[in-house]
Amino acid sequence: MSSPTPANVRPAEEDDLAAVAAIYAHHVRHSTASFEAEPPDIVEIARRRASSVQGGHPYFVAEQAGVVVGYAYSGPYRPRAAYRNTVETSIYLHPDAMGRGLGTLLLEALIRACERHGFRQMIAVVGDSTNRASIRLHERQGFRRVGTLEAVGFKHGRWLDVVLLQRNLGEGASSVPGAQGA
């Protein structure tokens, strides 16, 4: 058996957004990773990407053989000013690309980029407590479970939990943001 084609993780571009929208639409329709009921169109996906990038947040795609097979981005955890040093992550893979280490590549790139941007905390809000692959992916990258919100969503005929995971970035809470760290 031949080895898989190497993956390239890079910043997302406008031309990638149709693939991003298709990947996300699959998860909206067929999984509980997203709590959206209807997939957003490409115009909304472009708006979301622009908002993320304009806010100083990274937005990446993973591609293999020139095909976008996954994406990841960060955004503000919450809109209030006190949360400005904390980001929330999102990672989605094409269903045929799962289990090949692409989520790890995307999450590692996202962590590095968020640290370079000076963010201090990263939160993963994992839809559905049975989404073990996503929970394990985050735990392998140093996230720790900080809570479970039970039965806060209802999709595909069942109640869904949300698992919250958190990871320090850079100096974390050991210094004041913007101060010269030791």
Side-chain angles (χ1 to χ4, degrees), residues 124-138:
V125 180
V126 176
D128 196 1
S129 59
T130 64
N131 189 347
R132 290 180 188 92
S134 183
I135 294 167
R136 282 193 305 265
L137 165 66
H138 287 88

Side-chain angles (χ1 to χ4, degrees), residues 65-81:
V67 176
V68 172
V69 292
Y71 69 100
Y73 63 93
S74 76
Y77 174 63
R78 295 284 185 264
R80 293 187 175 108

Side-chain angles (χ1 to χ4, degrees), residues 85-127:
N85 299 295
T86 301
V87 297
E88 182 177 329
T89 67
S90 290
I91 300 172
Y92 292 95
L93 298 174
H94 186 281
D96 296 337
M98 293 180 183
R100 297 190 296 180
L102 297 170
T104 298
L105 290 175
L106 283 163
L107 186 52
E108 287 172 346
L110 198 59
I111 290 167
R112 286 190 307 270
C114 286
E115 286 178 332
R116 281 193 308 273
H117 283 87
F119 295 113
R120 296 298 190 88
Q121 298 293 327
M122 184 174 271
I123 307 296
V125 180
V126 176

Side-chain angles (χ1 to χ4, degrees), residues 85 118 120-121 169-182:
N85 299 295
R120 296 298 190 88
Q121 298 293 327
L169 296 173
E171 295 179 9
S174 67
S175 67
V176 175
Q180 296 298 323

